[in-house]
Amino acid sequence: MTDLVTLEADLLAQVAAAADLSALDAVRVAAVGKQGAVSALLKTLGSLSPDERRDRGGQINGLRDRVQTALNDRRAALETAELDRRLAAERLDLTLPAPHVRRGAVHPTMQVMDEMIAIFATLGFAVAEGPDIEDDFHNFTALNFPPKHPAREMHDTFFFEPDDKGERKLLRTHTSPMQVRTMIAQKPPIRIISPGRTYRCDSDQTHTPMFHQVEGLVIDRNIHMGHLKWTLETFVARFFENDQVTTRFRPHHFPFTEPSAEVDVQCDRSGGEIRIGQGTDWLEILGCGMVHPNVLRACGIDPDEFQGFAFGMGVDRLGMLKYGMPDLRDMFASDVRWLSHYGFSAFAAPNPASGLS
Ligand code: PHE
């Protein structure tokens, strides 16, 4: 009996002395684990007479239960202490001023796209998106480019290797294939814009091999050039937040529109910056025109019943003009100094209510 009293006192002292959870676990294993002191005691019962066994067995089990209870209590106490320690150590003073660290910014192209979408949304345009990798039909044929027409080459197209069927996919050279996809999928009246990436093998101050366009398409009965001109002039005035921006419509040729025009914005490019509303230079920002009857037909729309207009705007160029960046190539150079200078806060999403920029 005295051996049990000594052992119990010893084990309880060890439990009380365990300073942390891992020390406590070592005590637990040594005391009530499979190879522990209590198990060793229980193994000795086999050699006793039935009466002795009953007495001593009861005593050993009582000891085991008390040690186990002490272990549980100590564990709970240590866990609470640990939690209190962490809560104290990890406490944050939320009233301290946050350090001003600027982490990332919205790229001007994305900002400009959001601004464009916000403006056209107020004019009732929905947004449609389509693939960057196109086929010849959507990028050229359905848009009334004659087969072997030099315009296919004029676009400086990036072609892929021909596939098993001999078909050459390509990176879309403009967002106009979305006119085709939209007209095949929807019945008039149609009023959409389609923002996205476009690709041409070209690089100088105002050209990059990858750039962004927003396509516009309106198809209904009795749509005419007046609607086109009003829409574009309204857009330009709202985009530049300036009614005085001078634009000029120049006659042009696109296979998919007739008549066609290009629109330039007056600007000054003499200094290191580009400025609108002054100067004697012009920067082309978009192509437009009345959708060609052949395009309507290729998309299953009867040109005797419906007509409409389309336009394709250079998003990056509009950004250059609005935010005064002289070189388009800088936009995609990923220079963090340029990005932190020209980038926008992610919390300042453009919308017609709070303003565009
Ligand atoms: N797709 C033409 C281009 O990229 C622009 C355009 C779009 C012209 C729609 C007319 C109508 O140059």
Side-chain angles (χ1 to χ4, degrees):
M1 183 65 200
T2 46
D3 60 334
L4 290 187
V5 172
T6 318
L7 177 67
E8 179 168 343
D10 183 34
L11 290 179
L12 291 178
Q14 285 183 38
V15 169
D20 56 33
L21 289 170
S22 65
L24 184 67
D25 206 50
V27 174
R28 180 188 63 77
V29 171
V32 296
K34 271 208 191 89
Q35 315 287 331
V38 176
S39 304
L41 278 175
L42 288 170
K43 279 186 199 128
T44 62
L45 293 177
S47 58
L48 301 178
S49 70
D51 281 352
E52 285 174 324
R53 196 183 301 155
R54 189 175 353 93
D55 286 354
R56 197 160 161 86
Q59 288 159 3
I60 296 174
N61 283 335
L63 178 152
R64 191 193 51 207
D65 292 349
R66 286 187 295 280
V67 169
Q68 188 62 58
T69 305
L71 280 165
N72 292 347
D73 292 350
R74 182 74 188 142
R75 164 174 294 274
L78 285 173
E79 279 174 352
T80 308
E82 168 67 8
L83 186 62
D84 287 347
R85 190 193 61 74
R86 280 187 53 196
L87 284 174
E90 296 172 15
R91 207 185 76 191
L92 285 180
D93 184 350
L94 295 177
T95 65
L96 282 175
H100 183 78
V101 188
R102 197 166 163 181
R103 289 168 182 274
V106 175
H107 192 282
T109 293
M110 292 303 131
Q111 176 78 12
V112 169
M113 278 215 188
D114 287 347
E115 293 176 15
M116 296 171 80
I117 291 168
I119 295 169
F120 280 109
T122 65
L123 300 179
F125 284 74
V127 172
E129 286 185 296
D132 288 18
I133 298 177
E134 270 295 2
D135 51 29
D136 192 79
F137 173 77
H138 290 92
N139 200 83
F140 294 123
T141 307
L143 289 167
N144 197 34
F145 285 78
K148 303 256 159 50
H149 191 276
R152 280 176 150 87
E153 307 306 321
M154 187 181 86
H155 271 197
D156 300 312
T157 314
F158 289 109
F159 286 101
F160 287 84
E161 294 292 328
D163 63 16
D164 298 344
K165 287 175 247 129
E167 195 198 344
R168 270 200 311 177
K169 288 266 192 332
L170 50 90
L171 289 173
R172 65 178 175 189
T173 58
H174 48 181
T175 42
S176 299
M178 281 307 291
Q179 292 183 34
V180 177
R181 290 186 179 276
T182 306
M183 285 190 277
I184 288 175
Q186 295 176 26
K187 293 268 151 289
I190 292 171
R191 192 160 27 167
I192 59 114
I193 55 167
S194 184
R197 292 198 182 97
T198 47
Y199 307 82
R200 288 181 206 176
C201 187
D202 204 353
S203 178
D204 63 29
Q205 245 196 335
T206 52
H207 295 86
T208 48
M210 187 281 298
F211 56 108
H212 298 80
Q213 287 191 338
V214 166
E215 193 78 6
L217 177 70
V218 172
I219 305 287
D220 205 342
R221 294 168 214 274
N222 306 322
I223 299 290
H224 55 71
M225 272 303 259
H227 296 124
L228 167 61
K229 202 154 184 258
W230 180 88
T231 304
L232 293 176
E233 283 175 348
T234 301
F235 167 77
V236 168
R238 291 200 191 160
F239 178 75
F240 290 109
E241 293 167 283
N242 181 348
D243 289 335
Q244 306 309 318
V245 176
T246 316
T247 52
R248 76 176 176 194
F249 282 68
R250 257 184 306 110
H252 195 71
H253 170 77
F254 297 105
F256 37 95
T257 45
E258 182 60 35
S260 307
E262 278 189 338
V263 175
D264 304 330
V265 172
Q266 187 185 11
C267 62
D268 178 12
R269 276 157 70 176
S270 54
E273 281 213 335
I274 190 162
R275 291 200 174 79
I276 53 159
Q278 51 182 281
T280 52
D281 295 315
W282 297 92
L283 187 70
E284 178 220 319
I285 55 161
L286 66 91
C288 61
M290 301 304 295
V291 178
H292 197 291
N294 287 350
V295 177
L296 294 171
R297 255 180 238 116
C299 301
I301 293 179
D302 180 358
D304 293 327
E305 198 180 348
F306 293 104
Q307 58 189 22
F309 65 79
F311 55 83
M313 302 187 171
V315 180
D316 318 290
R317 285 198 181 175
L318 281 163
M320 282 176 79
L321 277 171
K322 184 165 177 180
Y323 297 112
M325 303 144 186
D327 196 319
L328 192 65
R329 290 166 296 192
D330 293 338
M331 285 220 165
F332 310 114
S334 296
D335 182 332
V336 284
R337 291 162 305 177
W338 187 94
L339 287 171
S340 68
H341 180 74
Y342 285 111
F344 291 84
S345 162
F347 299 110
N351 69 72
S354 66
L356 290 177
S357 50

